[in-house]
Amino acid sequence: MSTRKDTIFGWILQQLPSFLLRSLLALALLGLLYWQLASREQWASGDFWSRAWAGATSWWYLAAVVVLLPLNWGVEVLKWLPLMRSAGSGISLRRAWAAVLAGATVSMFTPNRVGEYAGRLLWVDARHRAWAVVATLLGSLAQWGVLLAGGALALLYWYFAGKIAFAPLSAGLLALLLLAVGATVLVLYLRLTAVVDWLMRFGFWARRLATLRGQLAECAERARADGWVWAMAAARYAVYTAQYALMLMFWGLPLSALDLLSLVAIIYLLQTGLPLPPSTGLIARGNIALFVAAVLLPDAYASAVLSATFSLWCINVFLPAAAGAALLLLRLLRR
């Protein structure tokens, strides 16, 4: 009979490969980030972060970002809650908030926020868990669709405004890639039931999707009927894009509102394609932000872009995840 000590030791051994892989990935991303910074004159002269603080402007911008934080996650709650209630779950607004924040905590350690599903299930009754998975999946697909559309429009704006140059072949390949990814997201959202039926032809998926199929079809139909999910996805995209733009303004990036919003849309577009957990994604975000800044902006603004990226991560990702961790701890202590 195994002891508790043996169980804990076994769990540690099970998690060790994943931990080592994430650690190596984080080190590689840190190395890439350092390489990008080392090529900049301000970093070599030790003036990188002092330049960033010197460029900081009105604290009202930072205050506005913090004020928008509950709205950002509140819209996510409102995107998920109506679908859950349509299943007759009777989940309260307070419980939905706890589920979404718990999802933010668990997703810190999973690629592309997959942990959102597991975190939210902890606050859902067993008979409604399949529905919760479907509701979360539909919300994520709608969010990706809006983000892809915003990023594509931003690229078009920078291209036709002469702010960025693409070779004809590169521009065509990029357009085809965005169209292909966007079409995939739309097909998954609009024809999710058909996709599941196709997957159920394979023995591996048949057993796992059999209990999900009925609720998936009903939930998908209700989500498509009123367009609420897409409206909330667009609202949330507007909120966190505005937060990033405000943070860039706080750190002194002197661009027009349209240029700021389109710059943010391009950065988010590139970030979404990385299957990384937010815990290592912070470093990846810094790499992507520096890469975009090097292509689209003068070198002097690199410190402002990197500072805005890191500080926004602390507000929009770390703080909600910390709140979710506290809720998870309280829930465990009450059991």
Side-chain angles (χ1 to χ4, degrees):
M1 186 174 180
S2 62
T3 65
R4 182 177 179 84
K5 183 177 180 180
D6 293 334
T7 302
I8 294 174
F9 182 70
W11 180 85
I12 292 174
L13 286 178
Q14 185 180 9
Q15 297 299 317
L16 187 60
S18 176
F19 173 76
L20 291 175
L21 181 61
R22 287 199 300 266
S23 300
L24 289 173
L25 180 60
L27 287 173
L29 289 170
L30 278 172
L32 179 60
L33 182 63
Y34 179 80
W35 176 78
Q36 288 200 73
L37 290 171
S39 63
R40 299 176 186 275
E41 181 182 347
Q42 298 95 331
W43 182 265
S45 63
D47 193 36
F48 192 86
W49 297 115
S50 60
R51 181 185 290 266
W53 277 112
T57 58
S58 173
W59 287 90
W60 287 108
Y61 293 135
L62 181 60
V65 173
V66 176
V67 168
L68 287 173
L69 171 62
L71 180 60
N72 180 1
W73 287 92
V75 173
E76 177 62 26
V77 172
L78 292 177
K79 183 173 67 176
W80 186 68
L81 181 59
L83 285 175
M84 290 304 302
R85 285 183 173 174
S86 67
S89 66
I91 186 171
S92 66
L93 179 61
R94 180 180 178 182
R95 197 175 184 87
W97 263 102
V100 168
L101 291 176
T105 302
V106 179
S107 69
M108 285 281 290
F109 309 99
T110 56
N112 271 0
R113 310 192 70 84
V114 174
E116 284 186 355
Y117 298 86
R120 295 184 187 189
L121 291 182
L122 295 174
W123 266 264
V124 178
D125 295 335
R127 64 182 184 278
H128 294 121
R129 284 178 180 171
W131 190 283
V133 170
V134 176
T136 305
L137 175 60
L138 289 171
S140 297
L141 288 172
Q143 202 67 58
W144 290 339
V146 170
L147 193 147
L148 282 169
L153 289 173
L155 282 171
L156 287 173
Y157 165 71
W158 281 76
Y159 178 74
F160 286 109
K163 299 176 183 293
I164 186 172
F166 282 118
L169 179 60
S170 300
L173 290 175
L174 181 60
L176 286 175
L177 177 62
L178 289 174
L179 283 173
V181 175
T184 302
V185 170
L186 281 176
V187 168
L188 286 173
Y189 187 89
L190 297 174
R191 302 289 295 168
L192 191 55
T193 308
V195 173
V196 170
D197 288 340
W198 178 78
L199 288 173
M200 287 180 69
R201 296 178 182 177
F202 305 94
F204 176 80
W205 290 104
R207 298 187 304 274
R208 290 162 175 78
L209 294 175
T211 58
L212 190 66
R213 202 273 178 202
Q215 295 190 50
L216 186 150
E218 186 179 355
C219 184
E221 182 62 32
R222 294 185 185 183
R224 290 194 296 266
D226 58 14
W228 177 260
V229 175
W230 284 92
M232 291 298 97
R236 191 178 186 209
Y237 181 75
V239 171
Y240 63 64
T241 300
Q243 283 182 292
Y244 206 156
L246 286 167
M247 191 62 79
L248 288 168
M249 293 168 67
F250 169 72
W251 288 105
L253 196 63
L255 296 178
S256 67
L258 185 57
D259 283 355
L260 278 172
L261 292 173
S262 57
L263 174 68
V264 169
I266 293 171
I267 292 174
Y268 277 138
L269 176 66
L270 295 177
Q271 288 177 359
T272 303
L274 288 175
L276 298 173
S279 52
T280 56
L282 168 63
I283 310 169
R285 290 183 186 200
N287 279 295
I288 291 171
L290 278 180
F291 170 76
V292 174
V295 174
L296 302 179
L297 300 173
D299 189 67
Y301 299 132
S303 56
V305 172
L306 193 60
S307 299
T309 302
F310 284 175
S311 52
L312 186 63
W313 183 91
C314 292
I315 294 172
N316 267 3
V317 179
F318 179 77
L319 289 181
L327 290 171
L328 285 171
L329 181 60
L330 288 173
R331 186 173 179 82
L332 290 172
L333 292 175
R334 288 175 182 173
R335 287 186 173 183

